[in-house]
Amino acid sequence: METFENIFLDLSKQPGKCRIADSGLGWKPSGGGDTFTLDKDNIISSQWSRASKGYETKIYSRTGGVIQLDGFAPEDYDRAAKAFKLFYGVTLEHKEHALRGWNWGKGEFGKAELLFSVSNRPAFEIPYSEVSNTNLAGKNEVSVEFSLPADGNETGTNGHLGGARSKGRKTGGAKDQMVEMRFYIPGITTVRKEEDGEDKSVDGEDAGEQNAANLFYNTLMDKAEIGEVAGDTFATFLDVLHLTPRGRFDVDMYEKSFRLRGKTYDYKILYDSIKKFMLLPKPDDLHVLITIGLDPPLRQGQTRYPFLVMQFKKDDEVELELNMTKEMMEEKYQGKLSTHYEAPQSSIIAQVFRGLAGKKVVTPSKDFVSHHQQSGVKCSIKANEGHLYCLDKSFMFVPKPATYISFDNISNIVLSRIGGAVSASRTFDMTVQLKGGAGEHQFSNINREEQTPLENFFEAKKLKVTNEMLDDVRITALGIRRLAANFSQSSTLIAKALKEEALDSSDEEVVGPKADRGSADEDEESVDEDFQTDSESDVAEEYDSNPESSGSDEEMADADGKRGESDPPEDSRPKKKTKTAK
């Protein structure tokens, strides 16, 4: 038997004591706790290499995948190699990692891990148990997503082993962790299909061509058991519209997980990751929304989706036969599932999810009915329009951004209207303030008709409400009264000023000296003494067809002649008086 101190198991937080004996291998944490054991018949191979805490012994088992023991000293190699060879008949192979820092190399699929080699030396390894999902990110690009721990305290390979991470959670052992890696795989590779242990020719040739990225993707899917075989699916729903993330996906439901298959992305989601399941009727009376809360959230590149939002037609009825044996139905799902369904698609999915995942289906509260007799209220978060649903213990806004607010986290609800005249406004805003200064959520452009139903619901749920719109109305009324008083006072002052101006004008006309207006005063009423009229006959009208003149042309000519003879000379004519100003 060989014993080694200060050894860490699977990135455990606490060190422990490792023993290599004839019957198998054991590890026990120094601080006390469960003991990890591995039978000698379960050991396939072992490897010695440099690691973060010294040297690491990596053991490949038949059932447990990869087991890592870190913290060995360089001089422990001989003892460990001798013990492995003597007790288990396995050679402890010494591996040197590639340290060139190159980002191109060769990917190899082993029994329990994906190996990336540079110059025939391993650069890093990825255990299949740590891969949660993989997608074709491009024509020649494959993304690999790693498992995320549900919380910081999730530990245990077979119990709480000194903080050792369970399979599929090893990457969560440190504060910072890698969550995604992408491989660029160009070119076309040749593949050979095998059937019954013999090579099968393709199109008359020994090998066929396939895109290298597609081959890498399909192989990783099989090795990491991301896509179960079709025979294991209990139910499949085709071409389901998703509002978050946007697109259409096929939904495959398995015993412990469900899978979303789209044109670009595939997702495998465990039922244990489902925290909330809501069935929300849309106010248009045509569609139904299914909202699924996930923790950890779904990741698509750098974007996280804590909620899945599916949309179904309300009256779209389908038939479904569950792909499940009677024995399994009676043994595991008695009273939870049925072998045959004939109902609207949204109702069937909700029942199947409830049976397989064991989650309660949440529906809108019966204490709230909108002005239009609906369960949701139309509103907006910033520029995103959606609907706010009042549940029994929370608020839910869908579709984007999907926002869940528990009543236990609400400190106050403020009803207000930002901008515009309050009395004439048709909408108002609702701000939900969270406890402990955790922030707030503002829902804007809510129809004014929904104010009374919402206030009644808040009162029924005993939520604290501040209505700032009443204060705004009081302020506006006070402002109107002040404006009227100011206007009345101004009118009095203006009338007084006009009256005083009129009095001043009257005084000037009576008492003041008369202004000198020149010849205008003479022309006003003066009589022209030189003008004399010889006849009182009327002058003929200009447009009279038979005008009667006061004299003929000959008379006029004679008169002119006599006047010409009797006229005195110009010098003897009397001069016109000169007009002088008075």
Side-chain angles (χ1 to χ4, degrees):
M1 178 186 296
E2 294 289 346
T3 303
F4 302 91
E5 300 286 345
N6 297 324
I7 305 300
F8 295 83
L9 171 67
D10 287 338
L11 304 178
S12 61
K13 297 181 179 179
Q14 300 178 13
K17 182 183 293 186
C18 178
R19 291 183 179 179
I20 302 176
D22 186 15
S23 59
L25 181 144
W27 180 87
K28 185 176 182 179
S30 301
D34 298 335
T35 301
F36 171 79
T37 58
L38 182 65
D39 189 80
K40 68 175 184 178
D41 296 332
N42 202 12
I43 299 175
I44 300 176
S45 61
S46 60
Q47 178 180 306
W48 176 276
S49 61
R50 189 67 183 266
S52 59
K53 295 180 174 64
Y55 282 84
E56 174 188 73
T57 297
K58 185 181 294 185
I59 302 171
Y60 298 91
S61 64
R62 299 182 187 277
T63 58
V66 180
I67 299 160
Q68 296 171 274
L69 295 169
D70 193 5
F72 290 93
E75 55 270 17
D76 293 338
Y77 173 75
D78 294 335
R79 293 169 52 203
K82 183 178 179 181
F84 271 88
K85 187 68 175 178
L86 180 62
F87 297 142
Y88 315 132
V90 174
T91 301
L92 186 61
E93 186 179 0
H94 193 286
K95 285 282 188 179
E96 290 288 343
H97 283 85
L99 303 177
R100 294 188 177 186
W102 292 358
N103 64 339
W104 67 91
K106 184 179 181 181
E108 299 176 355
F109 291 94
K111 179 178 175 55
E113 61 185 4
L114 169 63
L115 177 64
F116 185 80
S117 301
V118 176
S119 300
N120 296 325
R121 287 188 176 187
F124 59 86
E125 303 89 4
I126 302 175
Y128 299 139
S129 60
E130 301 299 311
V131 178
S132 64
N133 192 30
T134 180
N135 286 296
L136 282 169
K139 182 179 180 181
N140 299 315
E141 190 173 359
V142 178
S143 66
V144 180
E145 299 178 11
F146 303 124
S147 302
L148 298 174
D151 52 54
N153 298 320
E154 183 179 0
T155 59
T157 301
N158 60 348
H160 296 281
L161 304 174
R165 293 282 164 173
S166 60
K167 294 296 181 287
R169 297 291 186 269
K170 291 183 181 180
T171 54
K175 293 182 179 180
D176 298 326
Q177 65 182 91
M178 183 177 295
V179 296
E180 183 180 359
M181 180 181 293
R182 295 200 175 193
F183 294 94
Y184 177 74
I185 309 170
I188 297 175
T189 185
T190 57
V191 294
R192 175 173 296 180
K193 296 184 179 181
E194 296 183 359
E195 185 177 359
D196 298 332
E198 297 181 359
D199 294 345
K200 182 180 178 181
S201 62
V202 180
D203 296 334
E205 300 178 359
D206 294 337
E209 293 184 349
Q210 185 178 354
N211 184 282
N214 289 338
L215 179 61
F216 184 95
Y217 165 76
N218 293 328
T219 305
L220 184 59
M221 289 278 288
D222 294 337
K223 294 288 186 180
E225 298 180 355
I226 295 174
E228 290 92 340
V229 295
D232 294 336
T233 57
F234 292 157
T236 299
F237 301 92
L238 301 177
D239 202 29
V240 176
L241 176 62
H242 285 62
L243 303 182
T244 305
R246 191 76 180 176
R248 291 186 177 271
F249 296 87
D250 296 340
V251 182
D252 298 331
M253 308 193 72
Y254 302 93
E255 182 178 359
K256 296 182 179 180
S257 64
F258 69 99
R259 182 184 175 194
L260 303 180
R261 292 184 290 108
K263 294 182 179 180
T264 305
Y265 292 95
D266 286 6
Y267 302 100
K268 176 185 175 183
I269 304 171
L270 298 175
Y271 293 137
D272 294 338
S273 301
I274 299 177
K275 304 304 178 185
K276 304 173 185 66
F277 192 95
M278 289 165 277
L279 187 64
L280 309 174
K282 210 169 180 182
D284 60 1
D285 286 333
L286 297 176
H287 300 89
V288 177
L289 301 178
I290 289 182
T291 304
I292 303 175
L294 302 176
D295 189 14
L298 191 69
R299 294 184 65 257
Q300 182 173 308
Q302 300 295 327
T303 308
R304 294 190 174 206
Y305 296 99
F307 288 93
L308 298 178
V309 182
M310 309 177 188
Q311 179 172 291
F312 301 89
K313 291 184 178 179
K314 188 176 182 180
D315 300 328
D316 188 11
E317 293 193 1
V318 295
E319 292 186 12
L320 176 68
E321 291 285 345
L322 287 185
N323 184 21
M324 186 182 300
T325 61
K326 293 184 178 180
E327 293 78 9
M328 180 179 291
M329 177 73 71
E330 295 175 356
E331 181 180 353
K332 294 184 177 181
Y333 306 104
Q334 183 66 34
K336 299 180 180 179
L337 294 174
S338 301
T339 56
H340 179 77
Y341 290 96
E342 185 175 356
Q345 191 174 17
S346 58
S347 177
I348 295 177
I349 289 186
Q351 295 180 43
V352 174
F353 263 104
R354 181 176 58 185
L356 294 176
K359 303 298 180 181
K360 179 183 177 181
V361 179
V362 179
T363 56
S365 175
K366 296 180 180 179
D367 296 332
F368 176 79
V369 179
S370 71
H371 177 76
H372 301 285
Q373 305 300 313
Q374 300 294 334
S375 301
V377 175
K378 187 177 181 180
C379 60
S380 302
I381 294 182
K382 296 183 179 179
N384 301 306
E385 291 188 355
H387 295 90
L388 179 66
Y389 291 88
C390 298
L391 311 180
D392 286 328
K393 297 182 180 180
S394 60
F395 292 116
M396 186 69 208
F397 178 85
V398 288
K400 183 181 180 181
T403 305
Y404 177 86
I405 307 174
S406 175
F407 291 162
D408 297 334
N409 298 329
I410 297 176
S411 64
N412 189 26
I413 297 176
V414 180
L415 303 180
S416 63
R417 177 59 194 169
I418 300 175
V422 178
S423 59
S425 176
R426 297 182 179 180
T427 62
F428 67 95
D429 298 345
M430 185 179 81
T431 303
V432 180
Q433 300 174 349
L434 305 181
K435 293 181 179 179
E440 63 182 23
H441 299 278
Q442 186 177 27
F443 304 96
S444 57
N445 299 327
I446 304 176
N447 195 314
R448 193 67 178 270
E449 298 173 343
E450 307 294 353
Q451 180 181 349
T452 301
L454 285 173
E455 288 180 339
N456 295 336
F457 178 76
F458 299 155
E459 184 179 357
K461 297 301 178 180
K462 298 180 179 180
L463 297 174
K464 184 179 178 182
V465 181
T466 302
N467 193 343
E468 293 183 351
M469 291 188 288
L470 296 178
D471 298 335
D472 293 341
V473 171
R474 296 191 190 100
I475 293 172
T476 304
L478 180 60
I480 292 173
R481 288 198 296 271
R482 288 179 178 177
L483 182 61
N486 293 336
F487 178 77
S488 177
Q489 185 177 2
S490 300
S491 300
T492 304
L493 293 175
I494 292 172
K496 185 178 179 181
L498 291 175
K499 185 177 181 180
E500 291 177 355
E501 185 178 355
L503 290 175
D504 293 343
S505 176
S506 176
D507 293 342
E508 288 177 359
E509 290 178 2
V510 175
V511 180
K514 191 172 183 180
D516 185 6
R517 299 174 59 188
S519 61
D521 293 335
E522 293 182 357
D523 295 340
E524 226 171 347
E525 296 180 357
S526 62
V527 180
D528 192 354
E529 298 176 354
D530 296 335
F531 178 78
Q532 295 180 358
T533 58
D534 295 335
S535 173
E536 294 181 357
S537 61
D538 296 334
V539 179
E541 291 293 332
E542 180 179 0
Y543 298 104
D544 198 344
S545 59
N546 187 19
E548 293 182 359
S549 177
S550 58
S552 63
D553 293 340
E554 296 178 354
E555 292 176 349
M556 292 295 293
D558 294 340
D560 289 341
K562 293 177 180 180
R563 187 177 58 185
E565 295 175 357
S566 60
D567 282 347
E570 293 182 1
D571 295 342
S572 64
R573 289 181 183 179
K575 295 184 179 180
K576 193 174 184 180
K577 296 181 181 179
T578 304
K579 295 180 181 179
T580 58
K582 294 180 181 179

